[in-house]
Amino acid sequence: MTAMDERNLDREGRARRRKFVGAVVSIAGGGVLAGLGFAFAQARSGDAATQAGIMAGIGIGLMIGAAIMAWKLRPWDRRWRTESLASRRERLQSNRTQRLWVLPFISALFLVQGTRGLNEIVNGAGSWSDYVSASLPVVYAWVAAAAAMGWGPRAATERRFMEDELTLVLRARAIALAFPVLMAGVTVALGLALWRPPLAILALPFVLTAAGATAGIRFAWLDREAGQDG
C-alpha cells in the first residue's frame, strides 16, 4: 500500500468516526424529541396533543435513520480498510441505490404527516411544530434528488467510485422523467394559484415530493435492471 493510499484510508477513517459520532448524537436527540412528544401528548388534548404526536413521530424517524447510519459506520467494523477498489465501488453504489429506494418513501410518509401542519399554516394557526412537519417532506425530496444527481458532502472524494458511464446514463434517464413531473406539477400549482391560492401552497410539497421521488426511484429501478442484465 502506498503512502497516498494510507493517507486516504486515514482520512476516510476520520470521516467515518465523525459521522458515527454524529449519528449517535442524532439517536440521542431523536430519543429526547420522541420522549418529550409522548410526554406532552399525555398531558394535552386536541391540537396540542396532535402536535406532540408529530414531534414524537419526527423523533422516532430520526432515531431509526441515525441508528441505521451508526450501524453502517460502526468503528469496530474494519473490513472497509482492506477491500479492493472494485469491492468499494460496488459497496458505495449499492448504498446509493438503497438510499434512493428508501428516501422517497420517507418523504411520502412525512408528506402525509406534514399536510395537516401545512394546512394549519395556511389558515394562520400554525405553530413551530407545524412548520417543522411541513418542511420535512421537502427536505427529503431534495435529499433524494441530490442522491440521484451525485451531490453530497463526499461527492468530490468518491467521484472515482460513484461516477462511471453507466451512472451518467442512468442519471440522465432519471432526470429526464423527473423534469416533466416537476413541470406538470408546477403548472397545476399555478392553475390552483389563479383559482384558489391556498390550494396552490398545499400542492407544492406534493409536487416537490413527486419530482424527487421520481428521480430517486427511477434511478434505483434502472440500476436494478442494469444489474440483472449484467
Side-chain angles (χ1 to χ4, degrees):
M1 181 180 298
T2 64
M4 181 174 294
D5 291 336
E6 188 65 33
R7 285 196 298 271
N8 289 335
L9 288 175
D10 290 340
R11 184 162 51 248
E12 181 172 354
R14 289 192 295 271
R16 288 173 66 92
R17 286 193 293 273
R18 287 194 299 269
K19 291 182 178 180
F20 177 78
V21 172
V24 172
V25 172
S26 297
I27 293 173
V32 171
L33 198 62
L36 290 174
F38 285 123
F40 290 157
Q42 293 177 357
R44 288 169 171 78
S45 60
D47 291 343
T50 301
Q51 293 173 3
I54 292 174
M55 183 192 302
I58 294 173
I60 292 173
L62 182 61
M63 288 177 63
I64 293 174
I68 294 173
M69 178 177 292
W71 175 253
K72 289 185 176 182
L73 298 172
R74 58 195 186 277
W76 55 88
D77 183 9
R78 310 290 290 177
R79 289 175 296 179
W80 62 273
R81 293 189 65 92
T82 57
E83 65 182 351
S84 63
L85 292 179
S87 297
R88 185 178 181 185
R89 177 179 290 107
E90 182 177 356
R91 173 175 61 84
L92 292 174
Q93 292 182 349
S94 176
N95 290 341
R96 176 185 59 193
T97 302
Q98 292 174 7
R99 290 196 302 272
L100 290 174
W101 280 119
V102 172
L103 286 171
F105 291 102
I106 295 177
S107 181
L109 290 175
F110 279 124
L111 179 62
V112 173
Q113 190 179 46
T115 300
R116 181 189 176 280
L118 187 61
N119 190 57
E120 292 292 323
I121 295 171
V122 171
N123 292 330
S127 63
W128 68 269
S129 61
D130 294 322
Y131 283 93
V132 172
S133 63
S135 64
L136 285 175
V138 178
V139 171
Y140 275 96
W142 269 100
V143 172
M149 290 297 296
W151 300 335
R154 302 195 64 191
T157 58
E158 294 180 350
R159 182 168 288 116
R160 63 187 179 122
F161 301 105
M162 305 289 284
E163 302 291 328
D164 52 25
E165 185 176 350
L166 176 61
T167 295
L168 297 178
V169 172
L170 300 185
R171 179 176 297 150
R173 294 178 63 182
I175 299 303
L177 181 61
F179 183 71
V181 171
L182 179 63
M183 290 293 294
V186 173
T187 302
V188 172
L190 176 60
L192 292 174
L194 298 175
W195 177 44
R196 292 185 180 178
L199 291 180
I201 297 175
L202 292 172
L204 285 174
F206 287 87
V207 173
L208 292 171
T209 299
T214 299
I217 294 177
R218 179 62 171 167
F219 190 107
W221 179 266
L222 291 172
D223 186 66
R224 174 179 175 273
E225 294 294 310
Q228 290 180 347
D229 292 342

